[in-house]
C-alpha cells in the first residue's frame, strides 16, 4: 500500500473517463484491460445505459476496459473485482485471502495463464488492503 503515482497519459485517461461517464474515478490501473476503480454507488453511472460508456471508451482508447466498484470491505471489494466470475466463498486468514471457485471453469478464469489474472487481482487489492497473498481453491 505505497504511494500511487500517475503519469500524464493516465491522468488524461482518467479525465476522459470522468467526462464521458460523469462518475468519479478513485483509481486507474494501466494495462490490458485498463481497470477503473469508481467510488461506491457510481458503478451504474460509470457503465452507462446498456454499457454504452464502456463501449465508447473502448473505441476511443483502443483497449479493453474493466470498471470495478470500490468497497472499504475487503471481501466485497474482491467480489466486485473478480466479477462477472461468481465465487462460492472467500476466506481471509492472517493476510492470506483464499477465493473458493464454484466450478473448474471459474477457477481457470480466476487464475489465468501462468497465474497472470491472479497476480493482477492481487496487485489491485494490495493498493488498498494490506494482504500478503491471494489464492484460489
Amino acid at each position: 500500500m505505497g504511494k500511487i503515482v500517475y503519469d500524464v497519459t493516465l491522468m488524461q485517461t482518467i479525465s476522459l473517463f470522468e467526462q464521458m461517464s460523469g462518475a468519479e474515478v478513485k483509481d486507474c490501473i494501466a494495462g490490458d484491460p485498463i481497470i477503473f476503480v469508481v467510488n461506491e454507488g457510481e458503478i451504474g453511472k460509470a457503465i452507462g445505459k446498456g454499457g454504452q460508456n464502456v463501449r465508447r471508451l473502448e473505441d476511443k482508447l483502443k483497449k479493453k476496459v474493466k470498471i470495478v466498484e470500490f468497497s472499504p470491505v475487503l471481501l466485497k471489494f474482491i467480489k466486485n473485482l473478480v466479477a462477472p466470475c461468481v465465487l462460492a466463498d472467500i476466506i481471509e486468514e492472517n493476510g492470506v485471502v483464499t477465493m473458493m471457485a464454484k466450478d473448474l471453469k471459474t477457477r481457470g478464469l480466476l487464475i489465468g495463464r501462468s497465474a497472470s489474472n491472479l497476480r493482477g487481482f492481487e496487485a489491485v487489492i494490495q493498493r488498498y488492503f494490506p494482504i500478503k497473498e491471494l489464492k484460489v481453491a
Side-chain angles (χ1 to χ4, degrees):
M1 280 182 15
K3 193 173 176 185
I4 298 170
V5 181
Y6 299 121
D7 63 357
V8 174
T9 311
L10 211 52
M11 294 288 285
Q12 291 171 338
T13 305
I14 291 170
S15 178
L16 176 70
F17 178 82
E18 288 180 338
Q19 287 170 2
M20 289 177 87
S21 68
E24 190 178 327
V25 174
K26 182 175 180 66
D27 194 5
C28 179
I29 297 107
D32 196 26
I34 297 174
I35 301 171
F36 290 98
V37 180
V38 296
N39 291 326
E40 277 186 294
E42 296 210 334
I43 190 82
K45 193 193 299 184
I47 293 170
K49 194 172 193 170
Q52 71 182 17
N53 291 343
V54 175
R55 282 194 298 280
R56 284 186 14 229
L57 200 61
E58 285 177 342
D59 288 344
K60 201 138 187 129
L61 298 173
K62 307 273 188 273
K63 280 191 174 183
K64 284 279 184 201
V65 170
K66 180 174 174 80
I67 301 173
V68 178
E69 184 175 25
F70 181 76
S71 173
V73 180
L74 172 64
L75 303 182
K76 187 169 180 357
F77 180 67
I78 292 171
K79 283 183 181 176
N80 293 343
L81 182 63
V82 301
C85 292
V86 179
L87 301 174
D89 197 15
I90 306 174
I91 301 166
E92 193 262 325
E93 289 178 354
N94 303 325
V96 177
V97 179
T98 306
M99 299 184 292
M100 308 291 185
K102 70 178 178 83
D103 55 29
L104 283 174
K105 183 179 181 194
T106 303
R107 188 173 192 274
L109 289 170
L110 289 170
I111 296 171
R113 186 177 302 253
S114 303
S116 60
N117 293 351
L118 188 62
R119 294 300 147 237
F121 292 144
E122 187 177 74
V124 173
I125 295 165
Q126 286 174 337
R127 288 171 83 114
Y128 304 105
F129 301 98
I131 68 164
K132 292 178 192 159
E133 189 181 6
L134 185 64
K135 294 181 179 180
V136 176

